[in-house]
Amino acid sequence: MLSFAEENYLKAIYHLSEQSGDSVSTNAIAEILNTKAASVTDMIKRLSGKGILSYQKYKGVNVSESGRKAALQVIRKHRLWETFLVEKLKFNWDEVHDVAEQLEHIKSPLLIKRMDEFLGYPKYDPHGDPIPDEHGEFKAKPQVAISECEVNRSGIVVSVKDDSPEFLRYLDKIGAYLGAKVKVLDKVDFDGSMEIQIDNKKIVFISREVSENIWIAD
Amino acid sequence: MLSFAEENYLKAIYHLSEQSGDSVSTNAIAEILNTKAASVTDMIKRLSGKGILSYQKYKGVNVSESGRKAALQVIRKHRLWETFLVEKLKFNWDEVHDVAEQLEHIKSPLLIKRMDEFLGYPKYDPHGDPIPDEHGEFKAKPQVAISECEVNRSGIVVSVKDDSPEFLRYLDKIGAYLGAKVKVLDKVDFDGSMEIQIDNKKIVFISREVSENIWIAD
DNA sequence: AAATATTTTTAGATTAATCTAAAAATGGTA
DNA sequence: TACCATTTTTAGATTAATCTAAAAATATTT
């Protein structure tokens, strides 16, 4: 049985190794978890000892098969809780993270089984991320750039392809956060610019360049 | 902000001091929490330092006003979660305790506010115990143990003082659910056992130990 | 390849929460 | 009151999780 801290490390390392495809460095983990490299070294030794990670000094870590399974169960719980908070308790998408971060560590297989049932076996969480099933199986949602969408198509912002500070500042300004609901209101064939509505409120015009960099899913 | 362990001590001490009316002894706390007296001494020093308990060496502890408030908020969360588990997730009442014991420590005022709303502001949990409101106010139902009842007295099961899974399973078996109507048919002075009728149907014999743990109200 | 910079690990501390064993205080009774 | 049993506290360890500072290994750059 993993502790809260162990589960948090495992989850972070799993996400990092999915992103990079390669083994994960001590510093990368320390940065994500807001902790120090020395603490990470201690923890990855412990998790290696439990067979959850494989690790060689100075060479970074990889998630083992049993680690992958355990990580997916934590992710499953996290995303089910987020779904519950948004769908049943009317949380906004930006209010759920910290609470789900706590709830994901609750140990009760029955609770998760019943919650899944209660929510109608959702396949995706409010951010459009897939919810692994009890065996760890999941399928990512097909994503599409806003530039490729028809008028009236709506979806949730799930990815941003440009991460320059300028672009992120611009997204911040128009409110097109990850998880925001976006609807295409109009499309200008001439230059590919678009009129979109964000979170059922603000209406903004975005250039083709911007619309190619914001990706949405249902 | 209190840790999980601190909240568990506080809750146990609050319950003990409600029962006895008096200050609570180190040994009593150790027994309830399945820990050692030395550990209790350490913890009550810590909680005294935080102003949650008042404590003099060798004299036992009392819960301060701020401690009482904090304890009632933990109890509020526990009972709201139990209500949620039974009403929404179809848990049996013998399955809720361990999970609620974990969930009660989740820190999120918004979560509790929304959960309360979602459940329709319940005043009593599935065991008949009152749920304190956000200010710690609550009102107990006047209750009496079946063991104290005269022959022919009848009432509704409103509370169960032992919440071990074994006991709750037994109650399930004889049909003595919360809300069940119970009537005392006969009393054996010799050993305190009783013959009772449940929901105007089944007639069962219960031991003194059982009759002391089932409480009814009119 | 040597020097320098960066990353990672080790060594040694700290805090929370627990324990065992021993010492101290309290309370009841002969 | 003095003794004895019980309760409570202290002293000293242990484990998990963290830190800082220094040492060791790896990577980069001249």
Side-chain angles (χ1 to χ4, degrees):
Chain A
M1 181 123 304
L2 301 179
S3 69
F4 282 28
E6 288 170 335
E7 285 189 346
N8 283 335
Y9 272 88
L10 174 57
K11 196 167 62 118
I13 294 167
Y14 173 81
H15 282 312
L16 286 168
S17 75
E18 285 298 291
Q19 276 168 35
S20 73
D22 203 11
S23 65
V24 179
S25 77
T26 302
N27 262 2
I29 300 166
E31 186 164 358
I32 286 265
L33 291 175
N34 270 307
T35 182
K36 295 299 148 80
S39 309
V40 174
T41 300
D42 284 349
M43 182 57 95
I44 62 188
K45 277 183 187 169
R46 188 135 22 104
L47 290 174
S48 296
K50 293 194 176 193
I52 291 224
L53 302 176
S54 67
Y55 160 65
Q56 293 177 77
K57 272 190 197 175
Y58 298 101
K59 302 287 185 181
V61 291
N62 288 280
V63 179
S64 74
E65 187 47 34
S66 81
R68 185 175 166 276
K69 275 196 186 133
L72 286 170
Q73 286 316 303
V74 178
I75 291 167
R76 168 171 165 74
K77 289 193 279 182
H78 183 98
R79 292 181 181 166
L80 280 173
W81 278 115
E82 285 198 342
T83 305
F84 169 72
L85 294 173
V86 169
E87 302 224 325
K88 303 293 184 182
L89 298 195
K90 308 299 170 206
F91 275 60
N92 297 323
W93 70 273
D94 61 337
E95 297 171 321
V96 297
H97 189 76
D98 291 346
V99 190
E101 207 66 15
Q102 298 178 61
L103 287 164
E104 73 188 6
H105 302 297
I106 301 294
K107 266 88 176 172
S108 169
L110 181 61
L111 175 61
I112 292 309
K113 185 169 170 282
R114 291 289 168 80
M115 182 58 84
D116 196 20
E117 198 178 319
F118 185 61
L119 297 172
Y121 308 103
K123 292 223 164 31
Y124 302 97
D125 77 7
H127 304 104
D129 294 315
I131 301 174
D133 70 16
E134 65 265 49
H135 308 106
E137 306 289 339
F138 64 94
K139 194 153 168 274
K141 237 183 200 184
Q143 303 178 356
V144 62
I146 293 184
S147 55
E148 304 305 308
C149 297
E150 302 301 310
V151 169
N152 272 330
R153 163 85 197 253
S154 66
I156 303 294
V157 176
V158 289
S159 175
V160 166
K161 300 300 175 188
D162 181 325
D163 58 1
S164 66
E166 295 76 27
F167 187 59
L168 295 178
R169 252 200 311 275
Y170 171 74
L171 290 183
D172 221 46
K173 192 171 150 194
I174 66 173
Y177 306 101
L178 215 64
K181 191 188 164 196
V182 163
K183 184 176 182 182
V184 177
L185 298 180
D186 195 18
K187 230 173 148 170
V188 180
D189 287 336
F190 168 64
D191 62 354
S193 69
M194 291 175 130
E195 187 186 19
I196 63 173
Q197 184 172 34
I198 296 166
D199 279 331
N200 297 319
K201 296 189 292 264
K202 198 166 18 169
I203 293 168
V204 294
F205 292 91
I206 58 175
S207 68
R208 162 165 284 278
E209 209 179 334
V210 168
S211 69
E212 281 171 345
N213 278 291
I214 303 176
W215 288 57
I216 65 173
D218 297 315
Chain B
M1 183 125 303
L2 300 180
S3 69
F4 281 27
E6 288 170 334
E7 285 189 347
N8 283 334
Y9 271 89
L10 174 57
K11 195 167 63 118
I13 294 166
Y14 174 80
H15 282 312
L16 286 168
S17 77
E18 285 297 291
Q19 274 166 38
S20 72
D22 204 11
S23 65
V24 179
S25 78
T26 302
N27 262 2
I29 299 165
E31 185 165 358
I32 286 267
L33 291 176
N34 270 306
T35 184
K36 296 297 149 78
S39 308
V40 174
T41 300
D42 285 349
M43 183 57 96
I44 61 188
K45 277 183 186 168
R46 187 134 24 102
L47 290 173
S48 296
K50 293 192 175 192
I52 291 231
L53 302 177
S54 66
Y55 161 63
Q56 294 177 78
K57 273 189 194 177
Y58 297 101
K59 303 286 185 181
V61 291
N62 289 281
V63 179
S64 74
E65 187 47 35
S66 81
R68 185 176 168 275
K69 275 197 186 131
L72 285 171
Q73 286 315 302
V74 178
I75 290 166
R76 167 172 167 75
K77 289 194 276 181
H78 183 98
R79 293 182 180 166
L80 280 173
W81 278 115
E82 285 198 340
T83 305
F84 169 72
L85 294 172
V86 169
E87 302 223 325
K88 303 293 183 182
L89 299 195
K90 309 298 171 203
F91 275 58
N92 298 324
W93 29 324
D94 59 336
E95 298 170 323
V96 297
H97 189 76
D98 291 347
V99 191
E101 207 66 15
Q102 297 179 62
L103 287 164
E104 72 189 6
H105 302 297
I106 301 294
K107 265 89 176 172
S108 168
L110 181 60
L111 175 61
I112 291 309
K113 185 169 171 281
R114 291 288 169 81
M115 181 59 83
D116 196 20
E117 198 177 321
F118 185 60
L119 297 172
Y121 309 103
K123 292 224 163 33
Y124 300 96
D125 76 8
H127 304 107
D129 294 314
I131 301 173
D133 69 17
E134 67 266 48
H135 307 105
E137 306 289 337
F138 65 93
K139 192 150 170 277
K141 287 184 181 171
Q143 305 175 351
V144 62
I146 293 185
S147 56
E148 303 306 309
C149 296
E150 301 302 311
V151 169
N152 273 329
R153 163 82 197 251
S154 68
I156 303 294
V157 176
V158 289
S159 176
V160 164
K161 299 302 173 190
D162 181 325
D163 57 3
S164 67
E166 296 76 27
F167 186 62
L168 295 177
R169 256 200 306 278
Y170 169 76
L171 292 183
D172 237 39
K173 192 170 148 193
I174 66 174
Y177 306 100
L178 210 70
K181 191 187 166 194
V182 165
K183 184 176 182 183
V184 177
L185 299 179
D186 194 17
K187 231 174 151 172
V188 180
D189 287 336
F190 168 63
D191 63 355
S193 69
M194 289 174 133
E195 188 186 17
I196 63 172
Q197 183 172 35
I198 296 166
D199 278 333
N200 297 319
K201 296 190 294 263
K202 195 161 30 167
I203 293 170
V204 293
F205 293 90
I206 58 175
S207 67
R208 160 163 286 278
E209 210 177 334
V210 168
S211 68
E212 282 171 346
N213 279 290
I214 303 177
W215 289 55
I216 63 174
D218 297 313

